[in-house]
Amino acid sequence: MSPRLQGIEEFVAAVEAGSFARAAERLHVTRSAVAKSIARLEARLGTRLFLRTTRSQSLTEEGHGYYERCRRVLAELDAAEAMTDAARSTAAGLVRLSVPAMLGRLKIGPLLLALARRHAGLSLELSFNDRRVDLVEEGLDLAVRSGELADSADLIARPVGMQWMVLCAAPVYLAERGRPASVAELVVPSPHEAVLYVRDGQTFPWRFHDAEGRLVEMLLPSRLRCDSAEVLLEGAIGGMGLARLPAWLAADALAAGTLVRVFEEPRPFGFELNVIRSQSRYLPHKTRVVIDWLTEHLPPLLAAR
């Protein structure tokens, strides 16, 4: 790297991230490395770029002007790299992803294997889990997650489908307990039990839209709570209670008759599925290829309602 460019990326990252520590996370280096790079940059320029105290940092007047010019320079470099990267017909390099456990094994995993067969230079490292992940801390390029996302300026989310939810139960269960005709008949006290999803000690309530379109949440009594959608599916087939499951997951059991829809909902309820990445000016071609592939091919696999 030219001596004239040394320290510029660290400086711009520190301005945009708001602190040396967060800039270090973004650049995958230590805070000390960022501080030393900026100190050398200030020494080379012969001026202070930051006013720093133990609690805050702010740009000097010279720092403001220098930042605007450096930002434009880096944007041009990123654009040049992106143009060169996109010119390649195949993706190459390692992409690390975290995907939901069961959805990942049954739907996302096979899709990504098909993508890897198309790009001989592409390597994938997959982690199958449902927990919330920190992309920077865990060295991940992408995560696929369902439902509401934490509000963060450091993340970019791209929708890749909807997980529509269905209420279903085994015929033997409904024969014993009766078949509710609407959400209103599930309001506690109710003769019904449920199999429920729980993670990190938190039990997730069911959500419905009622006949007026209002969002309704509820929790029924349950003898089975777990963090495995597969076990909840088997529990429902075994007659242990009503189940609120993704339509794609329940589809085979519904087709086979081992589960049935309890009632038709006036308005379907679903959770948006997103592929998430860290905020950055430059998106590598290999990562873009993975995102585009999921965006194109995953929604049809989730389309059942």
Side-chain angles (χ1 to χ4, degrees), residues 172-236:
V172 63
Y173 172 87
L174 296 176
E176 293 175 356
R177 298 293 186 99
R179 188 169 188 162
S182 68
V183 175
E185 294 187 24
L186 296 178
V187 177
V188 177
S190 165
H192 291 284
E193 289 184 307
V195 295
L196 299 174
Y197 183 75
V198 61
R199 187 180 72 232
D200 299 329
Q202 178 184 0
T203 303
F204 289 79
W206 290 349
R207 293 181 178 182
F208 298 88
H209 292 295
D210 65 14
E212 286 72 41
R214 295 170 300 194
L215 185 64
V216 177
E217 290 190 347
M218 66 179 60
L219 279 174
L220 295 179
S222 175
R223 291 187 298 128
L224 175 63
R225 297 181 178 88
C226 70
D227 61 359
S228 168
E230 190 171 14
V231 172
L232 294 181
L233 173 65
E234 292 302 319

Side-chain angles (χ1 to χ4, degrees), residues 119-298:
H119 298 272
L122 180 65
S123 300
L124 300 171
E125 184 176 306
L126 306 178
S127 174
F128 297 89
N129 63 76
D130 295 324
R131 62 181 175 81
R132 191 181 299 274
V133 296
D134 185 311
L135 297 179
V136 173
E137 185 174 310
E138 300 183 38
L140 296 166
D141 299 293
L142 300 171
V144 178
R145 287 295 179 267
S146 177
E148 297 175 1
L149 300 174
D151 186 16
S152 173
D154 297 327
L155 299 175
I156 295 175
R158 182 168 169 182
V160 289
M162 289 287 293
Q163 289 205 95
W164 299 104
M165 307 300 290
V166 296
L167 184 68
C168 50
V172 63
Y173 172 87
L174 296 176
E176 293 175 356
R177 298 293 186 99
R179 188 169 188 162
S182 68
V183 175
E185 294 187 24
L186 296 178
V187 177
V188 177
S190 165
H192 291 284
E193 289 184 307
V195 295
L196 299 174
Y197 183 75
V198 61
R199 187 180 72 232
D200 299 329
Q202 178 184 0
T203 303
F204 289 79
W206 290 349
R207 293 181 178 182
F208 298 88
H209 292 295
D210 65 14
E212 286 72 41
R214 295 170 300 194
L215 185 64
V216 177
E217 290 190 347
M218 66 179 60
L219 279 174
L220 295 179
S222 175
R223 291 187 298 128
L224 175 63
R225 297 181 178 88
C226 70
D227 61 359
S228 168
E230 190 171 14
V231 172
L232 294 181
L233 173 65
E234 292 302 319
I237 292 173
M240 291 194 67
L242 305 175
R244 189 71 164 149
L245 298 172
W248 64 265
L249 176 59
D252 288 346
L254 291 171
T258 53
L259 289 178
V260 297
R261 285 179 181 262
V262 177
F263 51 74
E264 291 297 325
E265 299 176 35
R267 177 181 164 191
F269 177 84
F271 294 97
E272 188 173 68
L273 198 69
N274 289 278
V275 59
I276 306 160
R277 65 179 178 88
S278 295
Q279 177 78 261
S280 63
R281 295 182 305 275
Y282 169 60
L283 178 62
H285 181 61
K286 60 182 181 179
T287 309
R288 185 186 302 110
V289 165
V290 173
I291 295 173
D292 290 345
W293 183 261
L294 292 175
T295 303
E296 179 181 358
H297 295 282
L298 188 55

Side-chain angles (χ1 to χ4, degrees), residues 6-7 10 32-46:
Q6 290 176 357
E10 291 84 353
S32 174
V34 171
K36 288 178 180 177
S37 291
I38 292 175
R40 287 193 292 266
L41 178 62
E42 289 178 323
R44 189 172 78 245
L45 296 174

Side-chain angles (χ1 to χ4, degrees), residues 49-162:
L49 300 173
F50 286 105
L51 295 174
R52 293 184 289 274
T53 69
T54 56
R55 295 186 177 182
S56 66
Q57 71 175 37
S58 60
L59 286 171
T60 62
E61 183 177 351
E62 293 83 358
H64 276 290
Y66 191 64
Y67 164 70
E68 290 299 327
R69 287 166 174 78
C70 288
R71 183 178 60 82
R72 290 195 290 269
V73 167
L74 289 181
E76 288 296 322
L77 287 173
D78 288 342
E81 289 182 6
M83 181 178 65
T84 303
D85 203 6
R88 295 202 302 264
S89 60
T90 61
L94 174 64
V95 179
R96 297 182 174 91
L97 302 94
S98 173
V99 298
M102 192 167 184
L103 177 63
R105 290 196 300 271
L106 297 183
K107 303 294 183 181
I108 299 176
L111 275 183
L112 293 176
L113 291 178
L115 177 64
R117 287 192 291 270
R118 292 168 65 99
H119 298 272
L122 180 65
S123 300
L124 300 171
E125 184 176 306
L126 306 178
S127 174
F128 297 89
N129 63 76
D130 295 324
R131 62 181 175 81
R132 191 181 299 274
V133 296
D134 185 311
L135 297 179
V136 173
E137 185 174 310
E138 300 183 38
L140 296 166
D141 299 293
L142 300 171
V144 178
R145 287 295 179 267
S146 177
E148 297 175 1
L149 300 174
D151 186 16
S152 173
D154 297 327
L155 299 175
I156 295 175
R158 182 168 169 182
V160 289
M162 289 287 293

